Amino acid sequence: ILNKAKINFGVLGIEESSSGDAAKRAGNEFLFQMQAAQNIAVLNGYGIKRIVTGCPHCFNVMKNEYPELGGDYNVQHHSQFIATLISEGKLKLKDDHPFKGRRITFHDPCYLGRANQIYEAPRNLIRKLKAELIEMKSCKSKGLCCGAGGAQMFKDPESGDKEINISRIC
């Protein structure tokens, strides 16, 4: 997409590291601070001003928590960035793309939706595809957690009636 829109961009490659989000959510503030400081040093060293991320967790931590550590960037979720490219005419959708007329739903990630109130950008892109947007029963501010965020994927499930991933699909 970036090449198609003739956007000058870079990828950190081997210099890229975890954003530290999982460490922070698991309660390991020390590890988070180390990971964030390392990332901020690399990003600032290159003079990075804008970050586009596909990961809602990275989006949230870089946008909301990196600034207090010296990492002040214009952070956008890819759905916001792509919408801007389309509205500016830098990216055009072909009329014969494979999503046209399809039924598509969108899961609101906790750290994109409830934490940052970004609900419409992904949905607007689905509509621009001329696809039929089908909303889940629990969506937007009432969306259900996927059960993996906040470092939950690294621990055993807690006791209860049903795991969240089962609740989401039933």
Side-chain angles (χ1 to χ4, degrees):
I1 290 173
L2 296 172
N3 286 329
K4 210 52 146 162
K6 296 182 172 61
I7 300 295
N8 184 15
F9 69 97
V11 178
L12 294 176
I14 61 169
E15 292 180 279
E16 188 169 335
S17 177
S18 167
S19 68
D21 178 76
K24 184 165 185 75
R25 304 300 161 231
N28 192 337
E29 185 67 23
F30 177 72
L31 179 56
F32 165 71
Q33 295 269 334
M34 285 179 35
Q35 289 177 311
Q38 177 184 345
N39 289 334
I40 290 166
V42 171
L43 294 166
N44 289 350
Y46 283 112
I48 302 299
K49 302 291 182 217
R50 176 190 284 178
I51 297 172
V52 176
T53 179
C55 170
H57 289 262
C58 294
F59 169 81
N60 180 67
V61 78
M62 291 176 162
K63 179 178 177 24
N64 298 316
E65 298 180 41
Y66 273 30
E68 65 188 34
L69 301 172
D72 195 16
Y73 315 106
N74 172 1
V75 183
Q76 290 183 295
H77 185 255
H78 71 277
S79 63
Q80 297 171 303
F81 185 69
I82 293 169
T84 300
L85 293 177
I86 292 171
S87 70
E88 292 175 350
K90 294 179 181 175
L91 193 63
K92 297 188 187 330
L93 296 168
K94 292 183 179 180
D95 196 43
D96 63 345
H97 61 77
F99 300 104
K100 186 175 183 179
R102 295 281 180 107
R103 297 177 72 188
I104 299 175
T105 192
F106 179 76
H107 158 69
D108 292 288
C110 298
Y111 282 97
L112 187 62
R114 289 194 305 263
N116 289 285
Q117 289 72 53
I118 297 174
Y119 299 110
E120 292 310 314
R123 287 169 171 80
N124 288 340
L125 288 179
I126 293 169
R127 289 183 192 104
K128 285 191 184 296
L129 291 171
K130 296 183 182 163
E132 181 184 359
L133 176 64
I134 306 295
E135 292 289 5
M136 292 185 206
K137 181 173 58 173
S138 299
C139 65
K140 297 184 181 177
S141 64
K142 295 180 179 163
L144 285 177
C145 174
C146 70
Q152 297 301 302
M153 64 193 141
F154 299 118
K155 67 178 197 63
D156 291 329
E158 296 172 13
S159 61
D161 304 14
K162 192 185 298 188
E163 291 186 37
I164 191 69
N165 60 332
I166 302 301
S167 295
R168 284 182 43 103
I169 61 171
C170 295

